[in-house]
Amino acid sequence: MKRILSCMQPTNRLHLGNYLGALKNWVALQNEGAECLYGVVDLHAITAGHDPAELAQSTREIAAAYIASGVDPKKSTIFVQSSVLAHSELMWLFSAIAQMGKLERMTQFKDKAGKHKERASVGLFAYPVLMAADILVYKATHVPVGEDQKQHLELAREIASTFNHKFCGGDEFFPMPEPVITGEATRVMSLRNGTEKMSKSAESDMSRINLTDDADLIAKKITKATSDPHPLPDNIKDLEERPEADNLYSIYAALSGKRKEHVVKEFAGKGFGEFKPALADLCVEKLSPITARMSELMADPAEIDKILRAGAEKANTLAEPVLKEAMDKMGFWRP
Ligand code: AMP
Ligand code: TRP
């Protein structure tokens, strides 16, 4: 039985990388009829400092972005992590088997902690252990994410395997969650620098396309996107040494649903002067309905809250028995 789970943090706004690397695939999996759970991971969002005045609203906004992108609350369960306590409880159990050395190697921790590792929070360090609990508390089998989450998924698999080995006599109590990293844009790069990931936290807003940007802003960001002086190639191999061009092609391919090699053929011999406006039009065409739907949803927060309450109820029903069973396996006394 396939069970899909994925999550995003309610920190800042979502961008094109989140959409192409993750959300678009979430919707496709849902529409294939798989059982899907999509969480807003607010407990993760407090690990690098947050504004209490904004957390609840950002949480609603991420839920709205899921729905606006095509996650249908009638088909998928949309829930907030902190409303399912079993995540944190299972995380604590896992923290007894996750190794410090493994966590120290996590590149996301190294990036986020920066130079002052000793000042980073324990939560930021233990972040991947909570992520493993998010996944395994539902015994999820497939996790659609962008490429940058591969290492965290690997850790979740190791935790599952250690748990099964130590406490379940090698039986597969927790399934090995498979990463689902698909599409033509599993790692969308910054529009300013083709060697950096498009991210919520990059200083320049011109480096990313937010799901809330209007048509003019999208066009401006694409027109100003860093490119290179060479003519557009007629062969996908020629993109290898051209990270900025490669990134723009990947975005075009992912948005249009075409293979990158077809897009290369389509624009062969033309210049960025022709390609960029076509890309801008495509972005606007695909993103503006999402942006419009998001504003509609945000105008009715009570409706979002209703969806999130129903999601929490469903998610708790699934997670609680798994937590209880895991505690039994570990030998806890229970009332
Ligand atoms: P985050 O923005 O780090 O909370 O990521 C939420 C989801 O979006 C995760 O599945 C990430 O792997 C994915 N994601 C974030 N940034 C990118 C990017 N630049 N390209 C592709 N996927 C991304
Ligand atoms: N770590 C993910 C990110 O930064 C978010 C996340 C938390 C997640 N828990 C998860 C993703 C469980 C997939 C499954 O994007």
Side-chain angles (χ1 to χ4, degrees):
M1 181 60 193
K2 214 172 171 177
R3 182 179 277 170
I4 315 293
L5 173 120
S6 197
C7 306
M8 289 192 198
Q9 300 183 61
T11 36
N12 304 323
R13 298 205 170 109
L14 295 187
H15 54 72
L16 189 63
N18 299 129
Y19 178 66
L20 294 177
L23 266 176
K24 195 167 175 283
N25 298 330
W26 297 9
V27 175
L29 287 161
Q30 162 197 278
N31 294 341
E32 282 167 16
E35 182 186 4
C36 300
L37 291 134
Y38 296 125
V40 183
V41 285
D42 52 352
L43 296 172
H44 277 108
I46 62 168
T47 57
H50 77 288
D51 183 351
E54 284 178 9
L55 185 60
Q57 192 63 0
S58 308
T59 300
R60 286 191 192 97
E61 198 170 307
I62 298 295
Y66 292 178
I67 301 167
S69 304
V71 176
D72 178 351
K74 291 198 187 74
K75 296 183 186 161
S76 299
T77 304
I78 305 175
F79 68 96
V80 178
Q81 185 186 33
S82 63
S83 58
V84 187
L85 296 178
H87 289 239
S88 327
E89 297 177 39
L90 186 62
M91 184 239 173
W92 182 255
L93 306 187
F94 285 169
S95 71
I97 57 176
Q99 293 172 356
M100 302 271 291
K102 294 268 163 60
L103 292 175
E104 258 158 16
R105 286 201 279 280
M106 294 290 136
T107 53
Q108 187 165 308
F109 173 72
K110 288 193 244 176
D111 287 352
K112 290 203 176 168
K115 284 193 211 102
H116 303 289
K117 223 170 68 174
E118 63 290 346
R119 272 190 242 154
S121 70
V122 173
L124 189 67
F125 185 68
Y127 175 115
V129 185
L130 180 57
M131 176 162 163
D134 297 337
I135 299 167
L136 297 171
V137 83
Y138 300 103
K139 296 193 172 181
T141 57
H142 294 80
V143 185
V145 281
E147 166 103 27
D148 60 345
Q149 295 302 312
K150 217 171 159 177
Q151 199 186 21
H152 288 161
L153 251 300
E154 199 44 56
L155 185 84
R157 289 165 64 87
E158 273 179 34
I159 290 177
S161 159
T162 307
F163 190 97
N164 292 344
H165 183 73
K166 276 199 161 160
F167 304 117
C168 313
D171 288 350
E172 201 172 81
F173 174 69
F174 287 120
M176 291 296 124
E178 293 281 344
V180 181
I181 300 173
T182 55
E184 291 285 350
T186 56
R187 188 175 172 82
V188 178
M189 307 310 276
S190 153
L191 297 179
R192 306 258 85 181
N193 177 348
T195 62
E196 268 173 23
K197 194 176 73 163
M198 183 179 285
S199 93
K200 290 170 184 170
S201 50
E203 216 163 284
S204 164
D205 191 58
M206 292 300 281
S207 70
R208 64 187 158 252
I209 291 175
N210 304 300
L211 293 190
T212 45
D213 288 347
D214 64 22
D216 288 347
L217 190 54
I218 292 177
K220 184 170 153 202
K221 286 178 176 178
I222 292 184
T223 312
K224 297 212 162 186
T226 310
S227 53
D228 59 42
H230 309 295
L232 296 178
D234 56 10
N235 190 313
I236 192 166
K237 272 213 125 341
D238 296 345
L239 284 175
E240 275 168 19
E241 303 296 313
R242 300 173 64 183
E244 281 84 13
D246 187 43
N247 186 40
L248 297 178
Y249 272 103
S250 300
I251 295 173
Y252 192 101
L255 283 172
S256 63
K258 294 178 187 165
R259 309 269 322 161
K260 201 151 68 176
E261 37 293 22
H262 293 158
V263 183
V264 170
K265 292 271 174 293
E266 204 176 317
F267 288 95
K270 298 180 180 160
F272 282 104
E274 237 173 294
F275 177 64
K276 280 184 168 178
L279 178 59
D281 287 349
L282 181 63
C283 275
V284 171
E285 180 197 323
K286 299 289 177 186
L287 298 187
S288 59
I290 299 179
T291 314
R293 181 86 183 100
M294 253 180 94
S295 340
E296 272 171 36
L297 287 160
M298 286 308 288
D300 188 1
E303 181 59 26
I304 299 179
D305 291 348
K306 201 168 119 194
I307 291 168
L308 292 176
R309 270 197 294 273
E313 202 174 311
K314 174 77 197 287
N316 271 302
T317 317
L318 298 173
E320 260 168 32
V322 178
L323 173 69
K324 295 231 153 68
E325 227 185 314
M327 290 182 77
D328 285 344
K329 299 275 183 205
M330 288 180 84
F332 280 92
W333 172 85
R334 285 221 277 119

